[in-house]
Amino acid sequence: MTSASRTEKSMRTRKNALWIAGSAAAILTISIIGATTSTSASAKPRAHGEFDVVRDCGAVPDGSTDNHSALTECIADAADEGKTLYFPPGSYAIDGTLSVTEGGYKFYGNNRATVKIIQLDGAADIFDVDSGTAAVVNQLTLSGMELSYHSTTATGTAIDLTNAWRVYVQNMGIGDNANPNFTHGGGYGIRAEGGAQLNILETVFSYPVDTAIYAIGTGDVMLADLEVNLSNATSTGIELDTNIGGAYMTNVNVNGGGVGLLTSNSLNGIPPNYLFVTNFLADTQANIGMDLQSAQSVVMTNSWAASAGTTGIAIGDVLGISINDSRIYNNGGYGIEVTAGAKDVSIQNSRIAGNSRTNGGASRVAAIALRSGASGVMIQGNRIGPMDSFVASQSYAIRIDPGYGDVLMITDNNLLGNITGEIDNGATVGTHWVVADNL
């Protein structure tokens, strides 16, 4: 073999060896990738700026390990990078409050049924959102988790907001919905003081000791697609207090408790103002379905106040309320009671039946009561009497007490079928009264 032939053969041998080595390396790489993929397919890839609280922060979601320190450190680390914390499925016990002093955070899990944060300290909040200064906490999101207490008599608040703006609570469980016979929702579910643009959406509240949602001094409170379950006969579903500047409630169901919806003015300032209530159900409250003690400019449409122990809807110091196309059924006492201080009240195109169900004989009461000190009431186009499977139980359709003020219009109503009669007028007829064209 010539020297040139030997050189050519040597080059071919070297190329074959390199090709075999390269192929082997490629096969090994593919094998390693496949093995990695198969062992971590269930792990969520880390997004840029996102912390996995188990993988990156050492949280242990076994339902008993105290994760307070791990999650507190995780919140601090996230402040420098992305401010997004992901909670894989599991139960995260904490013995202390998770404090959020800056805006921009997002806390989320896959689903409220599979991701749970359980507070072991019954007196502590779960999340406390407060800058500690005059600065607002802007932009906060919590979603896809359940927040509950280990204690059935907890007094802490699941989410306590102070001067927080643009807060979104969505697809959350507040309280332990799996234990309907106990109160795991804390003293308050969500409490907001100050701030604006509070959005609570697609969330279930289960058995708070005091109140599911409380807001005071908060502008633009938006509540939609909520289920509020109450077991304590003194608890309240939703309370809107002084200086609420706009509240929008749609598809809200409050079951049980003492009061379904309460508007108040504890600071004697501006009462809750501009309330829009649509598809709101207050059902089986021990006391009052909707207790509107103080408010201005309320529009209620297609809503229900049913099976309360006493009154379906109580209207107190309210300036301007319109109740349209609603149902007030089966309440223990009055269907609607309009008391002193109420002005510009409109009740239209609604059905009011089966009230005074716990009263009989001389104690039987009317479907609608107009009390001394109320004025400016219009009752028009309603059906007030037995219907929709509710038998006659109300004494009169409408009772007007002595001392009722001026301005009254009662027209175009069907008032037939009540036990004692249609209208019981104990008041002195005012200057501006129209009572006509009723059945």
Side-chain angles (χ1 to χ4, degrees), residues 254-275:
V254 182
N255 297 289
V259 176
L261 172 63
L262 172 63
T263 64
S264 58
N265 188 6
S266 66
L267 300 181
N268 294 318
I270 299 173
N273 202 10
Y274 307 122
L275 311 184

Side-chain angles (χ1 to χ4, degrees), residues 112 117 126-127 142 145-149 156-159 169-177 183-191 200-208 211-213 226-229:
R112 65 185 179 225
I117 298 179
I126 298 178
F127 281 97
L142 296 99
M145 298 184 290
E146 178 185 277
L147 309 180
S148 65
Y149 284 81
T157 299
I159 303 174
V169 178
Q170 186 167 13
N171 189 26
M172 293 284 286
I174 308 296
D176 187 354
N177 194 49
T183 51
H184 291 271
Y188 289 81
I190 297 176
R191 187 184 188 282
I200 306 174
L201 315 169
E202 300 168 346
T203 292
V204 178
F205 292 81
S206 300
Y207 319 111
T211 304
I213 300 172
L226 306 182
E227 179 181 338
V228 180
N229 300 308

Side-chain angles (χ1 to χ4, degrees), residues 53-282:
V53 300
V54 174
R55 179 181 60 203
D56 301 321
C57 304
V60 181
D62 61 2
S64 59
T65 300
D66 179 13
N67 291 285
H68 180 258
S69 294
L71 294 179
T72 297
E73 292 178 9
C74 203
I75 292 170
D77 291 341
D80 300 323
E81 185 186 343
K83 295 185 177 179
T84 298
L85 280 72
Y86 167 67
F87 289 73
S91 296
Y92 300 83
I94 59 171
D95 192 358
T97 299
L98 301 176
S99 296
V100 181
T101 59
E102 300 178 359
Y105 277 96
K106 179 179 181 180
F107 301 86
Y108 80 102
N110 292 335
N111 189 282
R112 65 185 179 225
T114 59
V115 179
K116 304 175 186 294
I117 298 179
I118 304 170
Q119 177 62 273
L120 302 178
D121 183 349
D125 298 340
I126 298 178
F127 281 97
D128 179 64
V129 180
D130 185 355
S131 70
T133 67
V136 304
V137 177
N138 189 26
Q139 296 284 4
L140 174 69
T141 299
L142 296 99
S143 66
M145 298 184 290
E146 178 185 277
L147 309 180
S148 65
Y149 284 81
H150 180 71
S151 170
T152 61
T153 58
T155 57
T157 299
I159 303 174
D160 196 352
L161 306 167
T162 302
N163 205 19
W165 287 63
R166 300 174 184 88
V167 175
Y168 289 83
V169 178
Q170 186 167 13
N171 189 26
M172 293 284 286
I174 308 296
D176 187 354
N177 194 49
N179 292 279
N181 295 321
F182 301 99
T183 51
H184 291 271
Y188 289 81
I190 297 176
R191 187 184 188 282
E193 183 171 354
Q197 297 182 24
L198 171 61
N199 302 268
I200 306 174
L201 315 169
E202 300 168 346
T203 292
V204 178
F205 292 81
S206 300
Y207 319 111
V209 173
D210 196 313
T211 304
I213 300 172
Y214 174 83
I216 183 169
T218 307
D220 293 334
V221 177
M222 285 159 275
L223 312 177
D225 302 323
L226 306 182
E227 179 181 338
V228 180
N229 300 308
L230 306 171
S231 61
N232 188 336
T234 61
S235 60
T236 300
I238 298 167
E239 180 176 358
L240 304 177
D241 205 340
T242 308
N243 293 332
I244 294 295
Y248 312 86
M249 293 172 273
T250 304
N251 300 336
V252 177
N253 182 0
V254 182
N255 297 289
V259 176
L261 172 63
L262 172 63
T263 64
S264 58
N265 188 6
S266 66
L267 300 181
N268 294 318
I270 299 173
N273 202 10
Y274 307 122
L275 311 184
F276 300 88
V277 184
T278 305
N279 298 350
F280 192 109
L281 171 62

Side-chain angles (χ1 to χ4, degrees), residues 235-401:
S235 60
T236 300
I238 298 167
E239 180 176 358
L240 304 177
D241 205 340
T242 308
N243 293 332
I244 294 295
Y248 312 86
M249 293 172 273
T250 304
N251 300 336
V252 177
N253 182 0
V254 182
N255 297 289
V259 176
L261 172 63
L262 172 63
T263 64
S264 58
N265 188 6
S266 66
L267 300 181
N268 294 318
I270 299 173
N273 202 10
Y274 307 122
L275 311 184
F276 300 88
V277 184
T278 305
N279 298 350
F280 192 109
L281 171 62
D283 185 48
T284 63
Q285 279 69 51
N287 192 9
I288 301 174
M290 302 183 193
D291 189 3
L292 309 180
Q293 295 180 359
S294 185
Q296 294 181 158
S297 299
V298 180
V299 178
M300 183 181 298
T301 305
N302 195 31
S303 294
W304 289 58
S307 302
T310 58
T311 304
I313 301 176
I315 302 173
D317 187 12
V318 176
L319 176 59
I321 178 171
S322 175
I323 300 173
N324 301 289
D325 193 22
S326 293
R327 304 292 184 269
I328 298 88
Y329 285 163
N330 199 43
N331 296 288
Y334 300 102
I336 300 175
E337 185 176 18
V338 183
T339 62
K343 298 179 181 179
D344 299 335
V345 177
S346 172
I347 304 168
Q348 295 180 297
N349 302 319
S350 296
R351 299 169 74 86
I352 306 170
N355 299 289
S356 194
R357 62 177 169 80
T358 60
N359 298 329
S363 65
R364 199 178 299 277
V365 298
I368 299 176
L370 307 182
R371 298 299 195 187
S372 174
S375 64
V377 175
M378 180 173 69
I379 303 172
Q380 187 173 38
N382 303 282
R383 175 70 177 95
I384 308 174
M387 76 194 97
D388 296 351
S389 79
F390 294 105
V391 299
S393 58
Q394 303 158 162
S395 59
Y396 287 90
I398 301 169
R399 161 69 183 173
I400 308 169
D401 279 0

